[in-house]
Amino acid sequence: MIKKSLHAIAWRAERLLDRIKGQRDPRRIIEPYIGYANPDHLVVRGRVLTSLRRNAPTPMQSRWVNFKQMFSLFLTDEVANVTVQSGMVKAISDEEGYFTLLLPRDQPCGWINIPVQIEGQAGQTQCPVLVPDNAARFGVISDIDDTVLKTGAYSLIRNLWNSLTGNALTRRIFPDAVTCLQSLSEGGRNPVYYVSSSPWNLHHFLNRIFDLSGLVKGPKFLRDLGLSQTQFVTGTHGDHKGGAIDVLMAANPQLGYVLMGDTGQHDAMVYRDAVLRHPGRVLAVVLRKPGPGPDAQSRAAMDEIRGAGVPVFSAVDFAGVASSIDAIANTPQADGSKGIRP
């Protein structure tokens, strides 16, 4: 009862602040997110805000300055009920400012910039979209925290400390993740997607870290941590990741996938469930072992994945993973094809 009452108060307070600040502020700016393609559409994504917060950190600045800059990324004033358009296609931003435009998929493969504008407002924002190569052999779906980005997410206190007191110049991408994903991508032939419980407020921040490290660029499926009318935080960790995997399975029905994660945040259970929901679609599961390593529940889930006929690679780093997966992808199947196919 107390939790429900607190949630109701918080939700009404947020709605009131949105009306006072975001809706009355005349400024309207599009924050672009990286979009993707499904069999019928280019899925163009972004968010309507009153302003964009962009920090310019230096490597030697204090943790207190880092904290203030990171905290400012969450002070967004999102704007609902704004019409955005690309050509003749229109969409309306939701209560948290998010929008999705579905454009006909008649463009070539590769990276495409889609011009999007706010109706009645001059100027356009380029929203990037990845259309997989027709020659792609498989896709990769990777977690972020403790999979490619050193975070310590297996410990809440360590996670918060690293996330809020570092900056884009000090956060560390695992070098073996860069090498592994570059090899798996095969120069962009195979699409790479990132699924994480990190909030959308960190989209630009993560893009900058990825660019500085040379990590393969790809669409991100992050999480809205805003209040909804029914719950404090929209969705759960497992529901969010599982739902994003389902979306990507449907987006590329001709491809099998490599699922990459770690053993610190229940990725093994999420990926086990995905293997069972999508038989024949998962080429391999790759799990980094951060901190104390897998618990009993994760080990049991890994055994279930192997029992379903899907190889599991689990170690403290990704050394040798790419070559092993390449061998699996080249293994002839009974129908004469190679690798796992739907």
Side-chain angles (χ1 to χ4, degrees):
M1 181 63 70
I2 294 177
K3 182 178 179 181
K4 288 183 178 180
S5 298
L6 289 174
H7 168 248
I9 293 171
W11 185 80
R12 291 190 182 96
E14 185 185 52
R15 299 279 70 75
L16 177 61
L17 288 174
D18 287 344
R19 286 195 297 270
I20 293 174
K21 297 175 64 179
Q23 298 302 128
R24 293 185 179 180
D25 192 321
R27 295 174 298 173
R28 301 288 185 267
I29 296 175
I30 292 175
E31 180 177 30
Y33 298 146
I34 302 175
Y36 62 100
N38 61 36
D40 300 316
H41 298 102
L42 302 181
V43 183
V44 183
R45 306 180 295 172
R47 195 177 192 185
V48 180
L49 304 170
T50 60
S51 63
L52 294 178
R53 299 180 184 273
R54 297 288 185 262
N55 298 320
T58 61
M60 301 304 295
Q61 68 187 30
S62 69
R63 292 186 181 274
W64 172 242
V65 173
N66 287 341
F67 174 80
K68 290 190 295 182
Q69 290 184 347
M70 289 301 300
F71 185 74
S72 72
L73 297 179
F74 294 88
L75 302 178
T76 54
D77 292 331
E78 56 274 2
V79 190
N81 301 316
V82 173
T83 299
V84 298
Q85 63 184 91
S86 181
M88 299 301 293
V89 179
K90 299 182 179 183
I92 298 176
S93 61
D94 67 14
E95 63 179 14
E96 293 293 334
Y98 300 107
F99 68 84
T100 300
L101 288 163
L102 300 179
L103 304 184
R105 182 175 172 172
D106 53 6
Q107 287 85 357
C109 299
W111 285 99
I112 302 170
N113 284 320
I114 303 297
V116 179
Q117 67 183 104
I118 294 173
E119 186 178 53
Q121 183 173 300
Q124 295 180 329
T125 299
Q126 300 296 320
C127 294
V129 175
L130 174 62
V131 181
D133 195 312
N134 290 329
R137 296 197 298 155
F138 53 84
V140 179
I141 300 175
S142 177
D143 175 49
I144 294 178
D145 291 320
D146 285 330
T147 299
V148 299
L149 176 66
K150 186 175 181 179
T151 304
Y154 52 87
S155 166
L156 178 59
I157 294 177
R158 187 188 300 270
N159 185 3
L160 291 173
W161 176 260
N162 290 334
S163 297
L164 294 177
T165 63
N167 64 52
L169 302 180
T170 62
R171 296 297 301 275
R172 180 192 170 201
I173 294 289
F174 292 110
D176 58 274
V178 175
T179 302
C180 182
L181 284 171
Q182 286 177 343
S183 296
L184 291 175
S185 175
E186 298 181 343
R189 175 184 180 182
N190 303 319
V192 176
Y193 306 91
Y194 298 94
V195 175
S196 171
S197 290
S198 294
W200 281 108
N201 302 66
L202 299 183
H203 186 270
H204 180 267
F205 175 77
L206 291 171
N207 281 347
R208 187 172 185 192
I209 296 175
F210 283 22
D211 290 344
L212 289 172
S213 68
L215 198 65
V216 175
K217 181 179 178 181
K220 296 175 180 61
F221 290 75
L222 306 181
R223 187 177 173 192
D224 176 29
L225 296 186
L227 289 169
S228 75
Q229 192 168 5
T230 57
Q231 52 191 344
F232 263 116
V233 177
T234 52
T236 65
H237 172 82
D239 291 342
H240 166 69
K241 283 191 173 182
I245 291 171
D246 293 346
V247 167
L248 289 169
M249 290 285 183
N252 299 298
Q254 78 284 6
L255 293 180
Y257 280 94
V258 176
L259 305 181
M260 298 182 65
D262 63 87
T263 60
Q265 278 195 303
H266 308 295
D267 286 345
M269 285 73 85
V270 174
Y271 293 170
R272 172 204 59 201
D273 294 344
V275 167
L276 297 178
R277 286 198 309 275
H278 303 280
R281 295 295 304 279
V282 179
L283 185 70
V285 170
V286 182
L287 297 169
R288 185 187 298 277
K289 293 180 179 179
D295 57 16
Q297 192 176 10
S298 293
R299 289 194 296 271
M302 291 158 64
D303 288 340
E304 288 184 68
I305 294 171
R306 295 187 183 98
V310 177
V312 177
F313 300 91
S314 182
V316 295
D317 59 37
F318 295 149
V321 166
S323 58
S324 297
I325 291 176
D326 181 68
I328 294 171
N330 283 321
T331 301
Q333 304 298 300
D335 61 1
S337 64
K338 294 181 179 180
I340 301 295
R341 293 292 178 185

